[in-house]
């Protein structure tokens, strides 16, 4: 499957990538299997969470900021340690079941690209594995 790029809009940005992943699955002709979404960056990640109430992702941002403030007396000279830590907290990949050509997400779930040191142009790598 072809990787895709996206542009994030601010230092922290959660981008719903369901349509992009679904399109990649459709283009690849994957009907039943697993799709892995992998983020090849050290200051961004991916997570699955609620798409209905945008306050959920806003609260996730708030909590991550409380846990890992931008200015924390860190050692890393680039100055973006908080972004590196948050990327590790959410993780670099997720897997989703594909059935009948569709992503099997719960009613309120979406895939969110998690930017922690934007705005930047980012890559998302995806790989489908058929199971029959
Ligand atoms: Zn850095």
């Amino acid at each position: 499957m072809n990787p895709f790029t996206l542009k994030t809009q601010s230092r922290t940005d959660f981008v719903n990538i369901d349509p992009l992943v679904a399109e990649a699955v459709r283009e690849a002709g994957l009907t039943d299997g697993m799709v892995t979404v992998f983020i090849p960056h050290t200051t961004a990640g991916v997570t699955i969470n609620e798409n209905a109430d945008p306050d959920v992702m806003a609260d996730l941002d708030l909590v991550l900021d409380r846990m890992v403030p931008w200015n924390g007396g860190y050692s890393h000279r680039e100055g973006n340690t908080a972004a590196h830590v948050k990327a590790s907290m959410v993780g670099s990949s997720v897997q989703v079941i594909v059935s009948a050509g569709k992503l099997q997400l719960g009613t309120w779930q979406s895939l969110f690209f998690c930017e922690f040191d934007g705005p930047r142009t980012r890559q998302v790598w995806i790989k489908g594995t058929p199971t029959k």
Side-chain angles (χ1 to χ4, degrees):
M1 292 184 180
N2 294 324
F4 53 83
T5 59
L6 56 85
K7 286 184 199 280
T8 57
Q9 304 300 318
S10 51
R11 178 187 281 173
T12 301
D13 195 6
F14 298 114
V15 182
N16 184 329
I17 57 171
D18 291 356
L20 295 167
V21 176
E23 185 184 340
V25 166
R26 190 166 49 248
E27 282 177 357
L30 179 65
T31 53
D32 289 279
M34 301 295 297
V35 62
T36 299
V37 178
F38 180 81
I39 310 304
H41 301 289
T42 60
T43 55
V46 64
T47 194
I48 296 174
N49 217 306
E50 179 169 330
N51 57 30
D53 180 358
D55 284 347
V56 172
M57 296 309 287
D59 284 345
L60 178 61
D61 182 18
L62 182 76
V63 171
L64 290 173
D65 265 343
R66 282 183 187 151
M67 295 171 74
V68 192
W70 189 259
N71 296 305
Y74 311 114
S75 299
H76 177 48
R77 290 182 187 207
E78 194 185 7
N80 61 353
T81 287
H84 287 289
V85 173
K86 289 173 181 177
S88 279
M89 289 169 79
V90 299
S92 296
S93 67
V94 293
Q95 274 199 315
V96 179
I97 297 166
V98 176
S99 184
K102 298 217 179 311
L103 299 175
Q104 299 300 295
L105 292 164
T107 303
W108 309 113
Q109 286 184 318
S110 280
L111 294 149
F112 288 94
F113 180 91
C114 303
E115 174 65 79
F116 297 117
D117 194 18
R120 295 187 193 221
T121 298
R122 298 294 204 171
Q123 288 198 346
V124 178
W125 294 354
I126 45 183
K127 178 80 175 178
T129 308
T131 51
K132 67 175 186 181

